[in-house]
Amino acid sequence: PMPELTPMLKQLRLSGFMDSLEVRNKQAIEDSLSYTEFLALLLQDETARRSSRKLDLRLRRAGFRQEKTLEAFDCMPSVWSFFQPAGMQSSQCCSHHAKFQVVCNRY
């Protein structure tokens, strides 16, 4: 990036601009963006970077052993048995599991 901007960006705590400045500058030239459109792109990049860093920090502070997402959630029969109503016969259990599978796949 432009070396004369680095100290000012650091002082303003906008060092994330340095990561996307060159790419966004090329984009602004190629797409004939106005100054405000160019600035908006840089600010969007910085906002996204900060949000991502905050989430990473929260996850680290939470001390989770492993990151889990709903996409990675596995609806296995061992999980289904947890949701099996008391007194349900094993023959009834299959339809109950199928319903749970449908609910689980929605999310």
Side-chain angles (χ1 to χ4, degrees):
M2 302 166 197
E4 64 274 8
L5 293 179
T6 301
M8 290 184 279
L9 290 171
K10 284 184 179 180
Q11 184 178 356
L12 294 171
R13 298 178 192 253
L14 295 171
S15 57
F17 271 35
M18 292 183 288
D19 296 335
S20 61
L21 184 59
E22 193 173 326
V23 171
R24 292 303 190 180
N25 189 40
K26 286 180 185 177
Q27 181 183 2
I29 292 168
E30 291 170 1
D31 297 343
S32 301
L33 299 179
S34 68
Y35 293 118
T36 53
E37 290 171 323
F38 171 65
L39 180 60
L41 288 174
L42 286 172
L43 291 172
Q44 287 172 2
D45 292 345
E46 180 68 12
T47 302
R49 186 187 70 81
R50 288 183 184 200
S51 294
S52 177
R53 288 187 63 194
K54 282 182 185 178
L55 177 61
D56 290 344
L57 179 64
R58 287 183 188 131
L59 290 172
R60 272 196 318 273
R61 284 184 178 168
F64 295 131
R65 292 176 291 192
Q66 185 174 354
E67 185 176 326
K68 297 285 185 181
T69 62
L70 288 176
E71 292 81 16
F73 184 75
D74 187 12
C75 292
M76 296 174 8
S78 61
V79 175
W80 298 340
S81 63
F82 176 76
F83 293 98
Q84 182 177 345
M88 180 180 278
Q89 302 297 320
S90 59
S91 59
Q92 300 170 315
C93 197
C94 289
S95 66
H96 180 72
H97 288 174
K99 289 176 187 173
F100 182 75
Q101 180 73 28
V102 169
V103 170
C104 191
N105 287 335
R106 285 186 193 159
Y107 302 99

